[in-house]
Amino acid sequence: MLSPFDASLGLEQRTLSFGPQTTSQRFAILRRYGAGFLLISLFSLLSLSLSALGPGMNALGARIFAVIFPLGMLLATIRLGLGPAIFAAVTGVVLFDYVFLPPTHAFTVPSARDGVTIAVMLATAATSTVYAERLRRQVDWTRRQADVEGLRNALLSGLSHDLRTPLTALVAAGRALHEGHLDPGELRDFSRVVFEESARLNRLVARLLELTRLESGRLTTKPGLQAIDEAIGSALYRLEKELGSRNVRTHVPEEVPLTTFDPVLVEQVMINLVENVIRHTPPDSPIEISAWRDEEDIVVEVADQGPGVPAGDEERVFEKFYRVSGNRQRDGGMGLGLTLCRAIIAAHDGRMWMNNRPEGGASVRFAIPIRRDQTMALPSPETPLPGSRS
Amino acid sequence: MKDPATILVIEDDPHARTLLLFVLKQQGYRCLQATNGVGGIAAAFEREPSIVLLDLGLPDLDGREVTRRIRQRSTVPIIVVSARGQEQDKVASLDEGANDYVTKPIATGELLARIRVALRTTETMDTTPGAGAITIGDLCVDFDFRRVIVRGAEVHLTPTEYRLISVMVRAAGRVVSSRQILRQVWGTPYEEQMGYLRIYMKKLRHKIELEPAQPKYLVNEPGVGYRLRVPD
């Protein structure tokens, strides 16, 4: 899904930086900070060796370093992200002090003139960092738009193809029933065709709704503040029949804050994720649904104890038309469920990913940013509000 | 045995109408039909049905207008029949006084349950104008003593939480739009403050439900409002 262009800008690493919790992701973050340190050390070494070519080694080296320093910041921001870039900037200033400012090889409080140099260095670094970050966001956003747009098209063409199949059967069975002269067996068969095919048609049409709400990657509704536990609750309520006696455990602490999302679409995401578990795990295997706050995101997890996904397929499950091999879907699904879920979450500026759990089973998580677009000041809980009735 | 209830079906699509009438007659209801909004409104006044089933996509008038005009002269329960994704229209009709809604394609069981709730509401509305106690499953709201008892134990609610549960219990089984709840609990100036409602619903669920994220009573209807479920 990533174009070579995106990868060259280091977007791939960036998406990783968001992933909470797992050790490998924590390690990736650490690695990027290490890379920031390495980069800045390399730059000072370069300045030092270049300055050896001319007279007045330290003064020249300092100048070279001051000139290439913003360039380093630019590179650090684009490749490594904002955090490591800031870290590299601070390290750079300390190194500058140690290596180039007299007295060299000592950390000293800089003189007024050197202080100005450092301030100018930091200012240019800050400017380039801000612009680089903005550029990267733009690229990121454009990519997501393209993703959702592409998905819309795939869904539309898939739909029109898939609509035709049940329709043909319906017309044929309907005509036979209408014309009559059927024995009881045929009557039963044809009416079953009508029932089953129309149910299948119905499921397909439900997806059209999701499409219309995902107009070119943006939500067409103004969602307002929502509670994630309600999306989970109503999805489970709607799946009551399908879940049967299955053990569903939910953990949503009361403190998980409200945020803005489209309640119908996020409910659909929850329905799709839970249906996925129902389809791919034994009927008595439990489902665990949790939500928590992770810094500025709300993270939701749907975890099962089924067979998990084939190793290495954790990212591929989100591809269009992906199906676990050997698993024929009977519901007329096009293997678009998870792709659609991810597109919906992307339209909320969120992310979705899948892991196999170390204790067995699969876990799908998504994170959506906490937004308070609708400013809201709650009145103190028990002061009676004007106009209230009891 | 009582007379069967009479249901007025306002639906322009002939096939949908035929099927609705078939299902309803099978259940022993008497049926009336209208194919457009104007005819439906006239029938609602002249024939005095026990319930109106109103399709939202009529050719002449939108559902909100039909609801408004029927409400000017009649309190007959109106159940709106709508497609998924028409949350705006559903909310508009509910705000005009419709009692409930079902989503197309209609699940027969769900439709019949809604009809039973609507019929029950008209019966109880005449007898209990707010006092006494209402028990739903293992939840009981005692209006005389302003007490709420859940699974045999009294729960302590703040005044706002109590007002909220009272509104929901009085509308048990029916969907209530977010705006209606806000208006009744906080007052008209606050009817756009969805955030209040979500926060208090959350608090209330944590006090009343065994598993707040799998509510047995206070269920959210995404984009529309809330429903206090009545166990079958």
Side-chain angles (χ1 to χ4, degrees):
Chain A
M1 264 218 228
L2 277 171
S3 75
F5 173 61
D6 294 335
S8 72
L9 277 178
L11 289 173
E12 207 167 5
Q13 289 100 309
R14 183 181 149 82
T15 23
L16 267 180
S17 82
F18 281 115
Q21 316 306 329
T22 74
T23 335
S24 72
Q25 280 159 352
R26 280 216 188 100
F27 181 67
I29 295 171
L30 211 68
R31 213 173 46 198
R32 283 185 302 120
Y33 277 86
F37 180 74
L38 220 67
L39 183 87
I40 213 69
S41 314
L42 217 73
F43 265 61
S44 60
L45 213 68
L46 186 74
S47 321
L48 210 61
S49 47
L50 277 175
S51 66
L53 300 172
M57 191 167 144
N58 270 330
L60 184 63
R63 258 176 236 154
I64 295 174
F65 186 77
V67 169
I68 61 176
F69 179 69
L71 193 74
M73 287 307 96
L74 199 74
L75 210 70
T77 318
I78 291 177
R79 303 255 357 162
L80 307 169
L82 202 55
I86 291 167
F87 172 70
V90 173
T91 320
V93 169
V94 173
L95 265 176
F96 183 69
D97 186 351
Y98 186 78
V99 179
F100 299 112
L101 290 189
T104 52
H105 308 296
F107 296 106
T108 45
V109 179
S111 68
R113 224 188 88 196
D114 295 334
V116 171
T117 316
I118 288 179
V120 170
M121 271 169 67
L122 279 178
T124 26
T127 319
S128 52
T129 306
V130 165
Y131 276 100
E133 176 70 6
R134 196 171 293 171
L135 172 78
R136 210 204 16 221
R137 281 210 184 136
Q138 192 123 26
V139 173
D140 210 4
W141 186 79
T142 317
R143 177 174 63 102
R144 211 162 36 215
Q145 293 287 300
D147 268 4
V148 178
E149 190 55 37
L151 177 77
R152 261 171 60 82
N153 293 338
L155 274 173
L156 270 178
S157 60
L159 261 177
S160 48
H161 172 263
D162 277 39
L163 285 175
R164 215 162 288 143
T165 326
L167 271 177
T168 318
L170 270 176
V171 171
R175 174 175 297 144
L177 286 168
H178 177 66
E179 283 170 356
H181 318 299
L182 298 171
D183 64 44
E186 287 170 326
L187 204 62
R188 213 176 32 242
D189 286 350
F190 282 119
S191 44
R192 205 190 60 226
V193 169
V194 170
F195 177 65
E196 284 175 0
E197 292 301 311
S198 49
R200 185 169 150 196
L201 207 55
N202 182 27
R203 278 191 294 268
L204 289 170
V205 171
R207 294 184 194 258
L208 278 171
L209 165 84
E210 287 146 29
L211 278 176
T212 51
R213 281 189 182 236
L214 275 179
E215 207 69 54
S216 54
R218 257 179 287 155
L219 300 175
T220 53
T221 53
K222 290 222 173 71
L225 280 172
Q226 308 290 337
I228 195 70
D229 51 327
E230 294 190 342
I232 297 170
S234 60
L236 291 174
Y237 166 48
R238 251 151 266 274
L239 288 171
E240 232 170 32
K241 222 181 289 166
E242 289 83 348
L243 283 165
S245 60
R246 209 185 262 258
N247 181 4
V248 182
R249 286 193 290 267
T250 47
H251 317 276
V252 185
E254 203 181 333
E255 312 80 66
V256 176
L258 304 178
T259 184
T260 51
F261 58 80
D262 184 314
V264 178
L265 286 180
V266 173
E267 182 201 34
Q268 192 59 48
V269 168
M270 290 308 304
I271 290 178
N272 288 1
L273 293 182
V274 174
E275 270 180 341
N276 234 4
V277 175
I278 295 175
R279 205 177 299 138
H280 296 295
T281 62
D284 53 347
S285 133
I287 305 177
E288 222 164 311
I289 303 173
S290 328
W292 63 89
R293 182 190 186 143
D294 182 40
E295 290 173 21
E296 284 311 293
D297 287 328
I298 290 176
V299 183
V300 178
E301 179 187 57
V302 177
D304 65 53
Q305 295 176 14
V309 289
D313 273 10
E314 291 91 345
E315 193 51 32
R316 283 192 55 216
V317 294
F318 294 104
E319 284 173 14
K320 289 163 207 158
F321 310 113
Y322 174 89
R323 289 177 196 191
V324 177
S325 47
N327 185 41
R328 204 183 137 267
Q329 282 177 303
R330 295 139 293 156
D331 65 341
M334 297 172 283
L336 283 172
L338 281 176
T339 320
L340 194 63
C341 287
R342 186 181 252 190
I344 290 173
I345 295 302
H348 286 84
D349 296 319
R351 319 168 301 289
M352 180 178 271
W353 66 101
M354 176 179 256
N355 290 116
N356 278 320
R357 306 201 300 164
E359 62 269 43
S363 133
V364 182
R365 288 181 183 179
F366 66 84
I368 49 175
I370 297 169
R371 259 199 283 245
R372 297 168 193 87
D373 297 359
Q374 285 197 332
T375 43
M376 182 191 66
L378 257 185
S380 81
E382 294 321 327
T383 7
L385 294 161
S388 62
R389 288 167 251 167
S390 45
Chain B
M1 181 157 168
K2 275 191 311 184
D3 268 0
T6 308
I7 299 176
L8 168 62
V9 176
I10 312 179
E11 162 71 80
D12 60 317
D13 182 77
H15 289 160
R17 202 172 56 237
T18 312
L19 283 170
L20 263 177
L21 293 174
F22 171 76
V23 168
L24 294 173
K25 280 179 181 155
Q26 242 189 356
Q27 295 295 315
Y29 292 113
R30 275 198 309 236
C31 293
L32 305 167
Q33 46 180 309
T35 57
N36 57 43
V38 175
I41 295 166
F45 294 150
E46 287 157 20
R47 315 280 299 272
E48 296 185 348
S50 336
I51 284 187
V52 175
L53 282 188
L54 169 63
D55 181 71
L56 273 191
L58 295 173
D60 55 341
L61 296 172
D62 67 19
R64 172 192 197 147
E65 186 60 22
V66 178
T67 311
R68 205 175 59 79
R69 292 205 201 163
I70 293 180
R71 271 292 164 267
Q72 285 171 350
R73 282 173 52 190
S74 164
T75 56
V76 58
I78 301 173
I79 299 178
V80 162
V81 180
S82 71
R84 257 198 94 186
Q86 289 184 315
E87 281 80 27
Q88 298 294 330
D89 301 337
K90 274 184 247 176
V91 171
S93 306
L94 288 172
D95 286 341
E96 290 293 349
N99 297 57
D100 211 335
Y101 73 87
V102 285
T103 304
K104 273 182 184 174
I106 302 171
T108 312
E110 192 188 338
L111 173 69
L112 296 173
R114 300 272 172 273
I115 289 175
R116 280 195 299 272
V117 167
L119 287 173
R120 200 161 50 217
T121 316
T122 33
E123 286 160 17
T124 49
M125 252 184 353
D126 301 334
T127 52
T128 52
I134 298 180
T135 303
I136 292 145
D138 43 24
L139 167 72
C140 172
V141 178
D142 184 339
F143 294 104
D144 294 332
F145 295 95
R146 295 178 69 97
R147 284 195 313 176
V148 175
I149 292 146
V150 182
R151 291 176 288 277
E154 185 175 352
V155 286
H156 292 282
L157 299 183
T158 66
T160 309
E161 289 164 355
Y162 176 78
R163 284 202 294 272
L164 188 53
I165 191 74
S166 307
V167 168
M168 293 313 294
V169 159
R170 289 207 172 100
R174 292 195 287 124
V175 69
V176 193
S177 81
S178 300
R179 199 169 289 133
Q180 284 173 329
I181 303 174
L182 279 160
R183 206 182 302 148
Q184 289 182 56
V185 175
W186 281 273
T188 313
Y190 293 86
E191 64 181 24
E192 300 298 329
Q193 301 295 330
M194 302 299 163
Y196 291 5
L197 181 54
R198 307 229 182 275
I199 286 178
Y200 277 93
M201 273 293 174
K202 190 183 277 202
K203 288 175 192 280
L204 200 51
R205 266 199 218 101
H206 277 265
K207 289 189 178 177
I208 286 173
E209 304 282 357
L210 270 177
E211 284 257 31
Q214 295 180 58
K216 203 174 136 201
Y217 295 112
L218 294 166
V219 182
N220 174 238
E221 298 272 344
V224 180
Y226 293 85
R227 185 191 300 279
L228 192 125
R229 279 177 84 186
V230 179
D232 299 323

